Amino acid sequence: MSAPNAWSRSRERMRLFPELFSRCAEQAAAYGRCVAAGAPELRREACGREFAALKSCFVAAVMSCSGTRW
Amino acid sequence: MRGLLHRGASIGPTLLPHVLCHRSQCTDRSGRDRGTEAPRRPPPGGSMNVFDRTMKRNQKRWAASLQEHDKYDYLRAEVGRRVADRVYDIARYAASTTLDHQRAFTQHLHLRHSVVERFFLMDISENSLRLKRESEMPTHHVLGDEEFLPFKENTFDLVVSSLSLHWINDLPGALRQIQQVLKPDGVFVGAMVGGETLYELRCSLQLAELEREGGFAPHVSPYTAVTDLGNLLGQAGFNMLTVDIDEVQVHYPGMLEVISDLKAMGESNCAWNRKSMLHRDTILAAAAIYKEMYGNEDGSVPATFEILHMIGWKPHRSQAKPARRGSATASFADLSKIGLCSVPAMWFELLHRVLHQGG
């Protein structure tokens, strides 16, 4: 383990978030547009497809970034 | 016994009197009593118990203990500047107290010695008080809770509160205590966040939770609406109220920076009904929604802080009262008799009269 406890480890992980998020700007924008269009009568998983694309892009970015686990 | 601090006691910044409160609710304030006192549990669904004050004290203590705590003071500094502006407009004081963090005022020397002679700074967190700030005027540091002011009645000419009222449980009670602590014809100048503050963050989180989890829980603490503020001040016994709204918009790189800055300011949510976790999918979704719905062209996202400024005076016989009914000497109907071409003529006549009567 790289850090003393779960809190500090997760805080370290969250520090990578903005950088990783910026690599998936396109998928994020598509997801955001879908939600904005559906608001306020949004149902669960209404934009599931766009979110799946965003999540897989994000996970790929995490994997490529020195093997950290998200 | 209202409190241990008496006006006139000179207390340097290294000696902080521990203020005990007479009400049974707050025996938890003293760190030493923890052994004898059961941990405080919130009364179920109390309307006057929205915030966990112990948690707020811990959050402020953590924020004050950061290495670069003054990096996060931009909002407080800006609001402190605006409040100090309002105080200068009034300007005639001998002693004053601020019910808030040290950082808002003395940091930028907003209140000058010519306006304020003696300064009492009160804060709920000892660490915030211990942060050394230069100040032109003698400052007394008081450790106390805004909901239980440890001062006698009719003590202060001016009470200033900047960005701390939005964490108070019993706001009407706190305002009433401020009114009592003021001398007659004393003034209260306050600023609190309210209304539509952080609506972008709130909406993004709500939509993300709705889409990802099927429902949403409150993450941003509740705020006072500007329409309620006038009533609150009136009920507390203030006269000649002035309430206005300022909007401060701060741009951040993304949602997580907004949240971490709020935490470092000591402004994390401490409401009893806050949800203590956020799923990682929801975080991702909310960040995407925030950027798409509210983002600017340069890629940054705005966070809005709606600052409600209020000024209220303690009643005094020297203050203007509404005139007696039926005592009017002019009528609003006379306004319609003023034609467009006669206005310059009236001004010249008035000027002539003023000049020849010697002003």
Side-chain angles (χ1 to χ4, degrees):
Chain A
M1 299 295 184
S2 56
N5 57 39
W7 297 111
S8 41
R9 280 197 298 276
S10 61
R11 232 177 276 141
E12 276 308 310
R13 254 184 268 145
M14 285 311 280
R15 246 169 241 149
L16 301 169
F17 185 96
E19 161 65 34
L20 300 169
F21 185 69
S22 62
R23 298 191 200 174
C24 302
E26 210 183 285
Q27 288 86 347
Y31 176 72
R33 272 194 298 272
C34 168
V35 170
E41 298 95 20
L42 215 52
R43 275 175 304 108
R44 189 173 180 176
E45 300 284 344
C47 299
R49 212 171 333 132
E50 285 85 356
F51 185 75
L54 172 60
K55 179 107 187 255
S56 53
C57 163
F58 194 79
V59 168
V62 169
M63 291 305 187
S64 70
C65 175
S66 70
T68 32
R69 228 173 12 104
W70 172 252
Chain B
M1 169 174 69
R2 193 93 205 283
L4 291 185
L5 176 72
H6 295 290
R7 188 171 59 99
S10 60
I11 303 152
T14 49
L15 280 177
L16 296 172
H18 202 104
V19 179
L20 296 174
C21 176
H22 59 90
R23 298 202 204 175
S24 55
Q25 261 183 315
C26 61
T27 50
D28 196 40
R29 302 265 179 268
S30 154
R32 291 163 232 138
D33 284 341
R34 228 172 270 141
T36 55
E37 189 72 20
R40 204 154 57 120
R41 295 264 173 264
S47 62
M48 282 305 189
N49 194 350
V50 183
F51 301 112
D52 181 354
R53 297 288 287 170
T54 317
M55 183 73 189
K56 178 47 60 185
R57 197 165 36 169
N58 290 339
Q59 288 168 353
K60 288 191 180 176
R61 191 191 322 138
W62 179 85
S65 66
L66 287 177
Q67 293 284 24
E68 300 164 319
H69 53 81
D70 36 2
K71 218 171 49 162
Y72 303 99
D73 283 339
Y74 46 87
L75 185 65
R76 269 192 227 291
E78 179 57 33
V79 176
R81 213 171 289 136
R82 297 184 189 195
V83 175
D85 252 348
R86 285 165 168 80
V87 172
Y88 285 139
D89 286 343
I90 306 173
R92 48 171 172 92
Y93 297 103
S96 83
T97 184
T98 63
L99 286 182
D100 84 327
H101 301 189
Q102 199 159 357
R103 307 173 196 180
F105 276 96
T106 55
Q107 176 181 1
H108 292 268
L109 306 176
H110 289 306
L111 285 186
R112 293 194 292 267
H113 193 71
S114 52
V115 172
V116 165
E117 268 185 21
R118 266 195 319 162
F119 209 61
F120 286 76
L121 255 142
M122 200 178 89
D123 201 305
I124 192 181
S125 143
E126 206 173 304
N127 285 37
S128 302
L129 281 179
R130 287 197 192 279
L131 293 175
K132 292 223 182 310
R133 299 285 175 203
E134 335 70 62
S135 167
E136 284 180 347
M137 60 219 103
T139 310
H140 303 263
H141 298 245
V142 179
L143 185 67
D145 194 336
E146 292 95 339
E147 300 186 40
F148 308 109
L149 290 182
F151 301 108
K152 289 194 287 209
E153 292 197 13
N154 300 331
T155 320
F156 295 105
D157 299 289
L158 165 68
V159 172
V160 177
S161 171
S162 173
L163 298 189
S164 68
L165 292 175
H166 55 284
W167 295 117
I168 293 187
N169 279 315
D170 182 13
L171 193 52
L175 290 174
R176 226 170 286 131
Q177 288 191 41
I178 293 174
Q179 198 261 11
Q180 280 167 4
V181 137
L182 276 174
K183 286 189 196 148
D185 210 25
V187 66
F188 166 58
V189 181
M192 68 186 280
V193 286
E196 295 298 307
T197 302
L198 294 175
Y199 73 90
E200 299 101 340
L201 184 62
R202 194 181 60 230
C203 292
S204 311
L205 284 170
Q206 276 178 3
L207 289 173
E209 274 187 302
L210 207 49
E211 201 273 327
R212 285 288 97 209
E213 299 170 37
F216 58 87
H219 289 277
V220 179
S221 68
Y223 297 117
T224 313
V226 66
T227 44
D228 294 334
L229 208 50
N231 283 339
L232 282 172
L233 289 170
Q235 277 169 17
F238 286 106
N239 253 359
M240 303 199 304
L241 307 173
T242 309
V243 176
D244 63 281
I245 318 180
D246 254 347
E247 200 178 275
V248 177
Q249 213 180 61
V250 186
H251 292 205
Y252 294 91
M255 188 184 84
L256 281 196
E257 283 83 355
V258 177
I259 297 178
S260 66
D261 264 25
L262 288 172
K263 188 158 102 172
M265 282 187 227
E267 297 295 313
S268 304
N269 196 1
C270 67
W272 289 110
N273 67 353
R274 70 188 182 281
K275 196 168 152 199
S276 53
M277 70 166 289
L278 204 50
H279 290 285
R280 59 180 80 164
D281 283 0
T282 312
I283 296 176
L284 188 53
I289 296 170
Y290 202 146
K291 200 168 195 101
E292 176 57 29
M293 282 182 67
Y294 304 106
N296 305 317
E297 284 86 29
D298 61 357
S300 63
V301 296
T304 308
F305 297 92
E306 222 177 63
I307 316 288
L308 311 180
H309 291 273
M310 62 202 103
I311 302 179
W313 297 78
K314 184 152 177 179
H316 188 255
R317 58 175 184 281
S318 69
Q319 290 167 359
K321 300 243 178 332
R324 200 174 39 85
R325 283 177 70 110
S327 61
T329 49
S331 161
F332 273 122
D334 296 339
L335 284 175
S336 58
K337 297 191 192 129
I338 303 176
L340 232 53
C341 46
S342 64
V343 169
M346 277 171 60
W347 275 113
F348 276 110
E349 205 208 307
L350 190 66
L351 198 59
H352 178 86
R353 229 186 292 159
V354 163
L355 290 174
H356 288 266
Q357 283 173 2

